[in-house]
Amino acid sequence: AAGSAPLLAFTVALRTLNCFLVQTSFVPDEYWQTLEVAHRMVFKYPLRNYGYLTWEWATGLRGYSYPLMFASIYKALELLDKDDVQLLIWVPRLAQAVLAAFADVKLYSLVRHLENAETAKCVYFCQLCSWFTWYSCTRTLTNTMETLLTIFALSYYPIKGSKMGSSCKYLALVALAIVVRPTAVIPWIPLVFTHFLQEQRKSDLILHNCIPVGLVAVGISLIIDRVFFGEWVLVQLNFLKFNVLQNLGTFYGSHPWHWYFTQGLPVILGTHLPFFIHGCVLAPKRYHIFLLAVIWTVLVYSMLSHKEFRFIYPVLPFCMVFCGYSLQHLKAWKKSAASFLFLSNLLPALYTGLIHQRGSLDVMRHIQQLCNNSYQSQAFVFIMMPCHSTPFYSHVHCPLKMRFLQCPPDLTGNENYTDEADVFYSNPLGWLNKEFYNDTLLPSHLIFFSVLEQEISPFLALRGYEKTATVFHTHVPQGRVGSHIYIYRKKKPGMNH
């Protein structure tokens, strides 16, 4: 451990840089399931009654345990009188970055303990090179926390040849991961089962480790949620019912069964893929359990119709162990292979981190400016984008009047159900004329993707709106998402320039 202090310092510095070089948005959950919730937990006073909880919170599908971490940061900033909007945006991400650095070092020390320093360096290098890890590890996503806790748990997992194994520690970390995101149980099913089969004192493992750890985790989760929901809610059960039994996740899109094998895993692995395959062939038998965890997780997720890259992010560290193993065995080619990995991951990491989908965050800076002047009380911002395209109060931090298009899934079983966003997009011009039939109801600012401009231009002209800003968003516009975001402001009476 003495030798790992410089390594930790270097890794923390690198992940801090990583944090500041990721200025794009990935998925709405990054804000809506964490920062927005935390912001509301801390700043929802009678005077500042602002904040927004998505439908998942109304139905008790999500728990407050993970947002509580960010709420604590917000509370500390508030008590220090430092609750500046930029700090509210960056401090949670920096906290996540530091945790990510600790996880990177844990992965290194695990492999060093199981193999040797050389292999550990290779695994560490592969982990730091991974473009998807770079893209995701400093984000305030439950998937990120699930991945980091999985690495921490792995470092205490009693794999053959390990002397660091501790049933209590690894099970506690797995339980914590499950509290943060119930799906964390998936990669651990084969690992815990294998441990159980190898364990001599099976009853001890269950009675002295599994049951107490499980009860404590459920207890803590229940108490935290009781405090913030105001009633007893078992979110893990609700989550399971919604996503598995009712399969309502399909509301957010469905993909073919093979998607993770043909796209999901190859994309997040990127140029690590050949090394991963090579490593799987080479690695000694005791690592087969890691491979089993990867295959099992991908298979389970393949059975659910709604698929996303981030869902399989927690198995990426397992894959890195094999990639590192492969790199270490490329003897003469090792340097060239390492250079190839570094260079081929550099571009996607920088492009996705700095350019692709950055408009969602950049546009918030324009909204923040409305907080600074006396105009705030009259301002009314309407975000006419696919719902949850941008963060909300956590990135504005003033009680500005804001609205966006709603899109909760139908929880009543109505076959003809259409959410507000879909109704809007089916006829934007008609919807606007109907919604804002009276001039007094009009928003002061309209924010929308460039693809919508043509269609609603009669409304903009008639109601006296002028374009005040154009914000770049992406080079690959798709469907309702345009390449740029436009900000239109309602001209004040008597302004005719």
Side-chain angles (χ1 to χ4, degrees):
S4 70
L7 183 72
L8 184 60
F10 168 74
T11 317
V12 169
L14 187 82
R15 288 301 181 206
T16 303
L17 177 70
N18 183 168
C19 177
F20 289 118
L21 289 180
V22 174
Q23 301 170 15
T24 52
S25 63
F26 179 13
V27 283
D29 282 14
E30 192 179 341
Y31 322 106
W32 290 92
Q33 306 299 352
T34 48
L35 300 184
E36 292 305 326
V37 181
H39 191 272
R40 192 170 177 273
M41 286 160 81
V42 176
F43 300 108
K44 185 183 160 269
Y45 298 134
L47 292 173
R48 319 185 190 172
N49 191 9
Y50 63 101
Y52 184 91
L53 290 183
T54 58
W55 63 273
E56 286 100 332
W57 297 86
T59 48
L61 278 187
R62 295 274 193 266
Y64 281 96
S65 308
Y66 180 49
L68 186 59
M69 171 176 139
F70 302 115
S72 314
I73 292 173
Y74 284 170
K75 193 71 195 167
L77 287 170
E78 190 201 21
L79 294 171
L80 295 167
D81 204 22
K82 290 272 183 282
D83 56 330
D84 168 70
V85 67
Q86 291 306 321
L87 288 175
L88 294 185
I89 292 170
W90 289 102
V91 176
R93 296 230 7 235
L94 282 167
Q96 202 70 65
V98 170
L99 283 173
F102 272 90
D104 296 334
V105 173
K106 267 286 186 223
L107 191 63
Y108 168 83
S109 45
L110 169 72
V111 181
R112 186 177 173 171
H113 172 76
L114 289 173
E115 291 293 325
N116 51 47
E118 276 310 301
T119 311
K121 274 179 201 158
C122 289
V123 171
Y124 173 79
F125 176 78
C126 288
Q127 168 76 355
L128 293 193
C129 267
S130 159
W131 79 270
F132 192 79
T133 301
W134 178 272
Y135 182 60
S136 308
C137 75
T138 64
R139 295 182 184 276
T140 52
L141 269 170
T142 49
N143 310 84
T144 298
M145 200 60 183
E146 177 190 359
T147 306
L148 301 182
L149 288 167
T150 291
I151 297 178
F152 291 134
L154 204 55
S155 65
Y156 296 112
Y157 179 75
I159 187 173
K160 279 200 177 98
S162 162
K163 296 176 185 64
M164 316 226 307
S166 156
S167 301
C168 195
K169 280 182 188 169
Y170 100 84
L171 287 169
L173 286 158
V174 171
L176 186 57
I178 294 168
V179 167
V180 167
R181 191 173 173 87
T183 51
V185 71
I186 299 168
W188 284 98
I189 289 172
L191 289 158
V192 173
F193 187 64
T194 306
H195 173 205
F196 177 74
L197 292 179
Q198 288 169 356
E199 184 66 51
Q200 262 91 48
R201 305 186 299 263
K202 289 185 175 30
S203 58
D204 268 13
L205 178 66
I206 290 181
L207 293 173
H208 297 144
N209 289 314
C210 293
I211 293 177
V213 163
L215 288 174
V216 169
V218 171
I220 291 172
S221 167
L222 268 172
I223 291 165
I224 291 173
D225 289 330
R226 172 76 182 80
V227 172
F228 292 103
F229 276 117
E231 57 184 338
W232 294 105
V233 179
L234 189 55
V235 287
Q236 290 77 14
L237 190 65
N238 294 346
F239 186 89
L240 184 77
K241 275 202 300 215
F242 179 86
N243 284 306
V244 181
L245 308 178
Q246 296 171 290
N247 201 8
L248 285 169
T250 49
F251 180 80
Y252 292 113
S254 53
H255 298 77
W257 67 270
H258 55 74
W259 187 85
Y260 284 118
F261 292 99
T262 53
Q263 287 176 54
L265 201 57
V267 166
I268 71 169
L269 272 167
T271 51
H272 285 70
L273 185 61
F275 296 90
F276 171 61
I277 295 166
H278 181 225
C280 290
V281 177
L282 281 183
K285 204 173 154 195
R286 60 181 172 159
Y287 290 118
H288 288 179
I289 178 63
F290 289 177
L291 183 57
L292 179 65
V294 174
I295 295 169
W296 158 261
T297 304
V298 175
L299 279 172
V300 171
Y301 274 119
S302 295
M303 290 192 277
L304 296 171
S305 51
H306 178 57
K307 301 177 173 66
E308 291 186 39
F309 292 114
R310 63 190 173 108
F311 291 171
I312 54 168
Y313 176 31
V315 301
L316 207 50
F318 293 92
C319 300
M320 291 304 138
V321 173
F322 295 102
C323 296
Y325 211 87
S326 158
L327 193 59
Q328 164 61 10
H329 284 78
L330 288 175
K331 303 281 185 291
W333 293 94
K334 194 154 111 185
K335 274 214 168 85
S336 324
S339 307
F340 164 73
L341 266 181
F342 175 72
L343 293 169
S344 59
N345 277 275
L346 189 63
L347 272 171
L350 291 176
Y351 180 77
T352 55
L354 290 170
I355 299 167
H356 179 60
Q357 294 183 1
R358 65 170 298 137
S360 298
L361 296 179
D362 287 346
V363 80
M364 300 312 288
R365 292 209 192 104
H366 294 271
I367 300 178
Q368 286 158 18
Q369 285 162 11
L370 300 177
C371 292
N372 303 340
N373 51 31
S374 53
Y375 180 52
Q376 183 192 307
S377 53
Q378 290 114 39
F380 169 21
V381 178
F382 185 24
I383 301 168
M384 301 189 294
M385 290 151 86
C387 68
H388 306 127
S389 288
T390 61
F392 216 44
Y393 286 110
S394 66
H395 284 53
V396 177
H397 194 54
C398 78
L400 197 64
K401 186 179 178 193
M402 296 201 291
R403 176 180 172 187
F404 64 94
L405 297 166
Q406 309 278 333
C407 60
D410 170 43
L411 302 168
T412 57
N414 169 7
E415 303 222 328
N416 306 323
Y417 172 78
T418 323
D419 65 57
E420 185 181 48
D422 282 342
V423 175
F424 169 81
Y425 279 105
S426 63
N427 177 8
L429 189 59
W431 189 93
L432 286 169
N433 286 327
K434 192 172 146 197
E435 188 75 12
F436 303 116
Y437 60 89
N438 184 333
D439 259 11
T440 56
L441 304 168
L442 286 171
S444 62
H445 291 74
L446 297 175
I447 295 176
F448 52 86
F449 280 120
S450 45
V451 284
L452 200 61
E453 187 181 44
Q454 203 71 42
E455 212 168 337
I456 63 168
S457 57
F459 174 85
L460 298 171
L462 183 70
R463 299 305 175 99
Y465 283 96
E466 57 179 352
K467 191 188 297 185
T468 56
T470 300
V471 178
F472 171 78
H473 183 62
T474 176
H475 288 122
V476 276
Q478 280 175 321
R480 296 171 179 178
V481 176
S483 60
H484 290 77
I485 297 170
Y486 293 154
I487 302 177
Y488 271 79
R489 184 181 68 195
K490 191 159 170 45
K491 290 180 205 159
K492 298 195 181 81
M495 282 172 58
N496 43 14
H497 57 266

